[in-house]
Amino acid sequence: DTAVSQTPKYLVTQMGNDKSIKCEQNLGHDTMYWYKQDSKKFLKIMFSYNNKELIINETVPNRFSPKSPDKAHLNLHINSLELGDSAVYFCASSQDGQTIYGYTFGSGTRLTVV
Amino acid sequence: GDSVTQMEGPVTLSEEAFLTINCTYTATGYPSLFWYVQYPGEGLQLLLKATKADDKGSNKGFEATYRKETTSFHLEKGSVQVSDSAVYFCALKGSSGGGADGLTFGKGTHLIIQP
């Protein structure tokens, strides 16, 4: 049983397209996150959702929009894709305020924009 | 704001060598500290953690001690194996604000173990 699952694992698309990445967690956590990992492996938080409410929105272009239909899902929608959006995107979840178990990450989605 | 600084990589060692990967942090209050590992082509896995000063986290032969006086959380292992080759991330969760403020990561250290 996968705790945090992302789909697709790989995504190759052309500039200007719109795409979505899906994330689901079966841990009962109430907070979910999206992180971006660039080509140098640097990880930066993009968004977090707690009880369907956006908590963090770092300096991310508004072409990126998180969508959470329920507590177990946090999808990432990207409009008008650009070459610089190529990266690995990780979904994660945590139980709000609980640091005992850290955060659980998905296996990542490698997005390539051509 | 919070920040994490790790030693630059790649770090290349021979099998059975002693490993140290340095990590220092800047944060207000009393953050929780983590080490995550990313094996090639995979996501991040929690390796170990410490939630208060002088705590020692340990797992799979790796250890790290939360040193508030030096704001450090260095990762050590007495005898590395080829299978330890991966990217290691030091991270912190700040104590200020709510629980939904995510983790702050260091830039990662690529470890290469040669047979």
Side-chain angles (χ1 to χ4, degrees), chain A residues 18-21 63-67 75-79:
Chain A
D18 301 339
K19 291 293 179 184
S20 291
I21 306 172
R63 297 181 295 104
F64 290 79
S65 56
K67 298 186 188 302
N75 303 325
L76 181 64
H77 189 73
I78 315 170
N79 290 325

Side-chain angles (χ1 to χ4, degrees), chain A residues 9 31 33 35 37 40-43 45 48 50 55-56 90 94 96-97 99-103 105-107, chain B residues 32 34 36 38 41-46 49 51 87 89 93 98-108:
Chain A
K9 190 173 178 62
T31 307
Y33 311 83
Y35 283 84
Q37 186 178 45
K40 296 185 178 180
K41 299 289 188 181
F42 185 59
L43 279 155
I45 190 167
S48 73
N50 180 295
I55 301 299
I56 301 174
F90 287 100
S94 73
D96 185 33
T99 60
I100 293 174
Y101 300 108
Y103 293 66
F105 283 80
S107 57
Chain B
S32 295
F34 305 87
Y36 279 84
Q38 184 179 27
E42 298 185 12
L44 282 79
Q45 302 175 25
L46 178 64
K49 55 158 175 65
T51 56
V87 180
F89 293 91
K93 179 183 178 300
D101 50 0
L103 291 170
T104 299
F105 284 90
K107 292 189 175 182

Side-chain angles (χ1 to χ4, degrees), chain A residues 2-21:
Chain A
T2 303
V4 179
S5 59
Q6 296 179 228
T7 54
K9 190 173 178 62
Y10 300 97
L11 180 57
V12 180
T13 187
Q14 291 185 331
M15 286 176 54
N17 283 350
D18 301 339
K19 291 293 179 184
S20 291
I21 306 172

Side-chain angles (χ1 to χ4, degrees), chain A residues 15-85:
Chain A
M15 286 176 54
N17 283 350
D18 301 339
K19 291 293 179 184
S20 291
I21 306 172
K22 295 184 178 182
C23 178
E24 176 181 5
Q25 56 95 3
N26 61 7
L27 297 167
H29 288 170
D30 57 12
T31 307
M32 296 182 70
Y33 311 83
W34 277 106
Y35 283 84
K36 178 180 181 181
Q37 186 178 45
D38 63 23
S39 59
K40 296 185 178 180
K41 299 289 188 181
F42 185 59
L43 279 155
K44 184 175 181 181
I45 190 167
M46 301 176 70
F47 304 103
S48 73
Y49 252 79
N50 180 295
N51 294 324
K52 294 191 178 182
E53 182 180 358
L54 181 66
I55 301 299
I56 301 174
N57 186 345
E58 299 286 325
T59 55
V60 172
N62 57 15
R63 297 181 295 104
F64 290 79
S65 56
K67 298 186 188 302
S68 180
D70 56 56
K71 197 172 80 168
H73 296 82
L74 182 64
N75 303 325
L76 181 64
H77 189 73
I78 315 170
N79 290 325
S80 304
L81 278 155
E82 301 177 356
L83 292 176
D85 297 333

